[in-house]
Amino acid sequence: WRYKRGKRSLLQNLSATSAEMDTKTDASHAQQNLIQQQQEKSDSEEEDLPIIPDQVEDATSQLLHYLTDNATVVRWSAAKGLGRITDRLPEVCADDILDALLELTTDGEKDNAWHGACLSLAELSRRGLLLPERLGEVVPVVCRAIQYDVRRGQHSVGSHVRDAACYTCWAFARAYAPSVLQPHVMDLSQ
């Protein structure tokens, strides 16, 4: 159910022959991925919902909590851990995690939550776990994070959130085909 674009090895991408590059455009990759995802989705709908162990659910909730921690290294590690766990979960559970991440950004005053959510969104997209059909929900959040600025006393807070949002945009550009990102480019550039 994961989104795949090209090969993950730079050496393999660079050593591909020009004939291979001419025959496979980014648009055809995107169409092939969508067709494959729809087929896999229809196959998975026939199966029952998976049973997720309580320990995985507990670890996921702890990682979501740590995304709001005061220490940047804790938020970064939680985002990485959340990506690793999500990579091993079925699509339904990954959608639940994405919904929880988007919920972290509902309070505009919690800069650490915004920072952790952006780091996690970048990690999910890097791993191909943020599917293209969910980009419509995620891009507005990233756009708000790019402009995040909260006044606290005589100074403002938000540079770390803006940096994480830019990292998320970079991750989008690396993870998705240009044809997939094209509808969202104008929103991200404003």
Side-chain angles (χ1 to χ4, degrees):
W1 65 267
R2 288 152 187 79
Y3 178 79
K4 297 178 184 102
R5 175 185 175 208
K7 297 180 172 94
R8 287 291 171 202
S9 169
L10 184 59
L11 183 61
Q12 288 175 345
N13 281 334
L14 292 176
S15 66
T17 63
S18 61
E20 289 176 351
M21 298 300 281
D22 291 339
T23 58
K24 294 182 179 180
T25 63
D26 285 334
S28 67
H29 280 300
Q31 288 175 341
Q32 289 172 355
N33 280 333
L34 287 175
I35 291 170
Q36 182 182 4
Q37 289 170 5
Q38 289 171 351
Q39 289 172 345
E40 290 174 358
K41 192 172 190 176
S42 65
D43 292 342
S44 68
E45 287 175 354
E46 296 171 3
E47 301 171 3
D48 292 334
L49 289 176
I51 298 173
I52 305 299
D54 290 338
Q55 294 89 346
V56 174
E57 290 182 17
D58 293 342
T60 303
S61 67
Q62 284 294 320
L63 290 172
L64 286 168
H65 172 73
Y66 287 136
L67 288 176
T68 62
D69 195 84
N70 287 332
T72 302
V73 70
V74 173
R75 291 191 300 270
W76 180 257
S77 298
K80 290 286 198 182
L82 204 55
R84 289 185 183 120
I85 288 177
T86 306
D87 196 17
R88 290 163 177 82
L89 293 175
E91 182 180 0
V92 176
C93 298
D95 280 342
D96 291 342
I97 289 174
L98 181 59
D99 291 337
L101 288 175
L102 295 177
E103 193 175 310
L104 286 176
T105 62
T106 56
D107 187 358
E109 293 293 317
K110 296 183 177 179
D111 57 303
N112 290 340
W114 276 83
H115 184 246
C118 285
L119 291 174
S120 294
L121 291 172
E123 187 65 23
L124 293 181
S125 65
R126 255 183 15 85
R127 292 176 175 266
L129 304 172
L130 179 59
L131 297 178
E133 56 262 15
R134 297 294 304 262
L135 278 177
E137 299 171 57
V138 172
V139 167
V141 171
V142 175
C143 290
R144 286 191 318 228
I146 289 173
Q147 300 172 356
Y148 188 89
D149 191 33
V150 175
R151 298 281 300 164
R152 295 224 177 113
Q154 294 190 6
H155 66 284
S156 64
V157 174
S159 62
H160 62 300
V161 175
R162 293 189 298 272
D163 288 345
C166 290
Y167 172 60
T168 306
C169 291
W170 173 86
F172 288 169
R174 294 277 300 160
Y176 299 106
S179 60
V180 172
L181 268 184
Q182 195 275 331
H184 307 287
V185 169
M186 288 304 293
D187 293 333
L188 290 171
S189 65
Q190 294 178 355

